[in-house]
Amino acid sequence: MTHSTPTLFPATFLWGGATAANQIEGAYNQGGKGLSVQDVMPRGIVGPRTDGPTPDNLKHEAIDFYHRYAEDIALFAEMGFGVYRFSIAWSRIFPRGDEAEPNEEGLAFYDRVLDELEKHGIEPLVTISHYETPLHLAETYDGWVSRDLIGFYERYASVLFARYGARVKYWLTFNEINSLLHAPFMSGGINTPKDQLAEKDLYQAMHHELVASASATRIARELAPSAQIGCMVLSMPIYPLTPSPEDAVAVMEADHANLVYGDVHTRGEYPGYFLRALREKSINLDITDEDRATLTNTVDFVSFSYYMSIAETSSTDRGTGEGNIMGGVPNPTLPASEWGWQIDPIGLRIVLNQFWDRWQKPLFIVENGLGARDELVEIDGVKTVVDDYRIAYLNDHLVQVGEALEDGVQILGYTSWGCIDIVSASTAQLSKRYGFIYVDRNDDGTGSLARYPKKSFHWYTEVIRTNGASLSR
Ligand code: BG6
């Protein structure tokens, strides 16, 4: 059933956009910044990692937000953003990750970003770790496989809460924490190649991240009492390929593999289905009593990315679908983007309801959008992009957000992904664009870096101005 009258988004609803440091800042070796795993991933997760920085890595300059942040934030303000989600590059604050003292120049940069946001009345939403583990931690400790990472992350998070805690209300501990098993190097700084990695080490790394995340919540309660701490998961509703009970069980188990992260963050302990899975794999994790106590520090809200849904089957004849890090069985009823991500606005309503029913925590949609190729054109002497396809995608998803609000789901806000064009995480392309603002930079690194508002810029401005009333149903 679809609601026929325009939904009233709550007056407190936070509209905005989202980015991540490694995909936007550039200046990869300036301001005392150390290397992160992204500096050796010139082809994203689809290509091999390199031994060191290579000239073909678009993220090294990205869109030069490091120098142009004031201009970009002014454009966000022009759209009426109430919130801007960005990440702090861990290796700007701790260049190697295991130092005792932070890099003041890195901290000062984010002070300036926060100054600019404050000037425009935009609420910051900060991701502490977004796929940018310091490379030194990957090479020396094998990333999150090592328990030592918990301490390094605690020190990093403590510095952030102490420095920015009075200015930043909303924090996310790890971007898409449930991607760790799928993309161990990017998501967990795990240097050992995936095909040589013992499954036990992967699950141990997952446990270490979950403990670190809960520990950050505990530390925030002391150092930044007004902070609201959220976890962040990659959401992907899973449909049974057929109505058979076996397919329904396949969906339930695939769901469990994703939901365990939110379950631990909201309930403070591992669910039985996960312990069973470990037992059946004969994996004995190193979980201390202190870890168990730390996990009880549950989050204030749950945030998530949503791009697509997927299907699942018990059959071995599965076919493979492209997708946001995880992929799955293609759903024959849905269209797909140019990159093969299946487009499913209704899935967003489903996932909002599922998470709310399950966790009863306020939800924050912190990523959603369409990666597409854009063509810069000139209309009446003004350069722009006529991105009706992006407007349609966002409109249809936001209508479903309205439906979920009608369902009674508590939603804090919505930050559309890549609100300005950025380097893609999976393929490291600039031509996979999400933004309301076109950035003149190409996959070969050429371009002036000039910014041009697209048609969607004006459309989103109106959506925000009318608090959703201008959406077409
Ligand atoms: C999410 C990540 O998985 O998807 C972002 O949190 C990423 O970092 C986004 O950019 C879109 O993926 P892609 O590969 O199109 O950039």
Side-chain angles (χ1 to χ4, degrees):
M1 188 185 74
T2 301
H3 200 73
S4 53
T5 52
T7 307
L8 278 183
F9 283 70
T12 52
F13 194 84
L14 288 165
W15 296 95
T19 60
N22 72 86
Q23 295 171 261
I24 184 173
E25 286 179 2
Y28 81 104
N29 58 1
Q30 295 176 34
K33 181 183 169 296
L35 296 178
S36 86
V37 292
Q38 293 291 344
D39 292 311
V40 295
M41 296 179 67
R43 296 285 162 271
I45 45 178
V46 295
R49 59 156 293 188
T50 50
D51 285 339
T54 49
D56 58 343
N57 192 333
L58 282 180
K59 285 166 272 192
H60 287 162
E61 193 183 3
I63 62 157
D64 195 31
F65 180 81
Y66 187 74
H67 298 107
R68 296 166 194 251
Y69 61 93
E71 178 195 342
D72 292 340
I73 290 170
L75 286 167
F76 301 158
E78 206 179 312
M79 279 187 274
F81 278 21
V83 61
Y84 171 49
R85 172 184 175 219
F86 63 98
S87 73
I88 291 182
W90 189 345
S91 62
R92 263 193 209 292
I93 310 303
F94 286 97
R96 291 183 321 164
D98 58 0
E99 297 90 339
E101 296 301 325
N103 167 35
E104 174 55 34
E105 221 180 324
L107 288 166
F109 168 64
Y110 296 104
D111 274 330
R112 295 197 293 278
V113 170
L114 290 172
D115 288 345
E116 218 53 42
L117 291 171
E118 260 166 43
K119 194 165 106 189
H120 293 288
I122 299 175
E123 183 96 55
L125 166 58
V126 171
T127 317
I128 297 173
S129 178
H130 191 129
Y131 296 160
E132 38 212 11
T133 307
L135 187 60
H136 174 75
L137 296 184
E139 291 180 340
T140 311
Y141 299 86
D142 215 8
W144 283 94
V145 171
S146 165
R147 186 172 274 277
D148 291 343
L149 270 271
I150 300 176
F152 301 142
Y153 179 90
E154 285 172 335
R155 189 182 303 163
Y156 167 50
S158 303
V159 165
L160 301 189
F161 293 140
R163 177 83 167 218
Y164 311 122
R167 312 177 76 182
V168 177
K169 181 172 171 193
Y170 295 107
W171 298 84
L172 310 180
T173 52
F174 288 91
N175 182 64
E176 298 188 334
I177 190 166
N178 53 333
S179 64
L180 179 74
L181 304 192
H182 306 269
F185 183 62
M186 180 174 79
S187 184
I190 300 176
N191 215 31
T192 305
K194 199 174 170 184
D195 53 3
Q196 293 164 30
L197 197 55
E199 211 177 7
K200 174 178 188 297
D201 286 345
L202 258 182
Y203 281 100
Q204 192 64 50
M206 165 187 175
H207 173 66
H208 292 153
E209 283 202 358
L210 287 167
V211 171
S213 181
S215 188
T217 303
R218 178 181 48 78
I219 296 167
R221 304 277 183 249
E222 291 160 24
L223 297 182
S226 54
Q228 293 281 295
I229 310 295
C231 58
M232 197 294 198
V233 293
L234 187 165
S235 79
M236 203 179 279
I238 307 172
Y239 305 125
L241 198 59
T242 75
S244 80
E246 287 78 12
D247 277 7
V249 169
V251 168
M252 183 185 80
E253 289 180 345
D255 261 341
H256 278 164
N258 270 332
L259 294 170
V260 57
Y261 299 82
D263 283 352
V264 173
H265 274 102
T266 56
R267 298 174 182 161
E269 60 181 6
Y270 284 109
Y273 65 79
F274 179 72
L275 299 175
R276 172 185 179 171
L278 289 183
R279 266 197 318 274
E280 290 182 353
K281 289 172 189 288
S282 303
I283 291 178
N284 238 324
L285 289 187
D286 170 26
I287 303 177
T288 65
D289 287 344
E290 198 186 335
D291 291 346
R292 284 196 188 85
T294 303
L295 289 178
T296 62
N297 292 280
T298 52
V299 288
D300 299 305
F301 68 98
V302 172
S303 76
F304 64 92
S305 61
Y306 177 76
Y307 294 92
M308 56 176 290
S309 61
I310 205 75
E312 194 46 81
T313 176
S314 59
S315 158
T316 47
D317 179 17
R318 304 167 55 81
T320 42
E322 299 295 318
N324 184 12
I325 299 176
M326 298 178 182
V329 179
N331 182 335
T333 70
L334 294 173
S337 80
E338 276 182 75
W339 277 264
W341 296 21
Q342 292 201 296
I343 299 173
D344 176 18
I346 292 173
L348 179 53
R349 176 184 175 194
I350 292 173
V351 101
L352 281 161
N353 274 274
Q354 182 189 31
F355 286 1
W356 174 248
D357 292 347
R358 192 176 182 99
W359 297 320
Q360 295 283 296
K361 295 273 183 192
L363 302 176
F364 212 135
I365 305 155
V366 295
E367 285 189 34
N368 174 236
L370 177 70
R373 287 179 209 281
D374 286 339
E375 191 195 350
L376 192 64
V377 295
E378 198 162 315
I379 299 175
D380 300 331
V382 177
K383 284 189 177 164
T384 189
V385 175
V386 185
D387 54 345
D388 291 316
Y389 37 91
R390 183 169 294 109
I391 293 172
Y393 178 102
L394 294 171
N395 181 83
D396 295 352
H397 283 75
L398 284 168
V399 166
Q400 295 301 323
V401 175
E403 292 299 319
L405 286 166
E406 290 294 332
D407 294 328
V409 179
Q410 198 182 329
I411 309 172
L412 297 170
Y414 173 91
T415 57
S416 139
W417 180 247
C419 46
I420 179 166
D421 292 344
I422 60 178
V423 183
S424 136
S426 55
T427 59
Q429 293 169 292
L430 245 154
S431 54
K432 189 179 186 190
R433 298 174 183 273
Y434 286 86
F436 302 115
I437 302 161
Y438 184 91
V439 177
D440 179 17
R441 192 163 191 230
N442 307 306
D443 286 346
D444 62 4
T446 58
S448 66
L449 288 168
R451 276 64 168 149
Y452 302 104
K454 303 178 191 176
K455 185 175 177 185
S456 56
F457 180 102
H458 306 289
W459 170 84
Y460 197 43
T461 304
E462 194 57 10
V463 172
I464 296 175
R465 191 187 67 76
T466 62
N467 200 22
S470 65
L471 293 168
S472 42
R473 288 165 178 79

